[in-house]
Amino acid sequence: MKDKLKGLVIGILIGSTITGATAFAATTTPIKAAIQKVSLYVDGTKKSTTDAITYKNTTYIPVRSMSNAIGEKVSLKGDNLYIGKQPKFIVNEDNAYKYVYAKIKVDADKYKLGFMDEGYSDDGKYFTIRAYEDHQEYIVTYGFYYVELTTGNVYKFDLFSDGLIKL
């Protein structure tokens, strides 16, 4: 009897999984896009040829191809795309910890704080570090710190004002 019950339960699970996957697959929308070779001209002079995608009468060209054609640098920092003049970034993932530690050294040593990488902010202007206390049974977040990529300024997220406070 138990084997029949197990078989029934497994059969129901497999059947519902297949049905769910089919239903999910049916909700996606296929798109039609054409890949074509496009010549890039700058001021009437052919600079290069690249692959482009045409979708709904709009042509999408890789940014790197376009920047090379016009002779400009290109970079992606967070959600920001820079073409031409590049911002000066003095902060990276490796040294962001040093900037935060320098600002909260006394408390970091007193409470034996650890630091965790939280990645780049949504606007791409800051690198985020979480400071925490590691207890035997739990972890306590001491604070979230935002290091400005172009200046190295350190800000602490203030929960009450829902904003950043410069340290």
Side-chain angles (χ1 to χ4, degrees):
M1 181 68 175
K2 285 185 179 182
D3 289 337
K4 287 184 180 181
L5 184 60
K6 283 182 186 178
L8 177 64
V9 170
I10 290 173
I12 291 172
L13 288 173
I14 291 172
S16 63
T17 302
I18 292 171
T19 303
T22 304
F24 176 74
T27 61
T28 60
T29 304
I31 64 168
K32 292 182 181 179
I35 298 176
Q36 61 190 30
K37 289 280 185 196
V38 173
S39 296
L40 300 177
Y41 287 82
V42 177
D43 295 329
T45 305
K46 183 177 178 180
K47 295 294 184 176
S48 67
T49 302
T50 187
D51 287 330
I53 295 174
T54 302
Y55 172 66
K56 290 188 176 181
N57 294 325
T58 301
T59 303
Y60 298 91
I61 298 172
V63 172
R64 176 80 55 202
S65 298
M66 181 63 78
S67 69
N68 289 341
I70 62 175
E72 295 289 346
K73 293 179 182 178
V74 63
S75 66
L76 182 66
K77 303 292 184 191
D79 290 338
N80 298 322
L81 179 67
Y82 298 94
I83 298 173
K85 184 178 177 185
Q86 302 293 307
K88 183 179 176 186
F89 290 96
I90 62 170
V91 177
N92 58 35
E93 295 176 30
D94 296 328
N95 65 12
Y97 296 99
K98 295 175 187 174
Y99 285 100
V100 172
Y101 179 74
K103 291 291 185 180
I104 64 168
K105 183 180 184 341
V106 173
D107 285 346
D109 293 341
K110 180 180 176 181
Y111 299 116
K112 297 182 176 98
L113 297 178
F115 297 98
M116 184 182 301
D117 171 349
E118 293 289 326
Y120 292 95
S121 62
D122 291 338
D123 60 9
K125 293 180 181 178
Y126 305 96
F127 192 77
T128 310
I129 304 280
R130 177 168 57 147
Y132 64 92
E133 287 182 80
D134 192 4
H135 294 277
Q136 191 172 18
E137 298 175 6
Y138 55 90
I139 294 176
V140 176
T141 297
Y142 182 80
F144 287 93
Y145 296 88
Y146 291 76
V147 183
E148 195 169 9
L149 297 176
T150 56
T151 64
N153 290 331
V154 178
Y155 301 84
K156 182 175 183 175
F157 179 75
D158 182 54
L159 189 61
F160 298 109
S161 68
D162 192 30
L164 299 178
I165 298 174
K166 187 176 178 181
L167 299 181

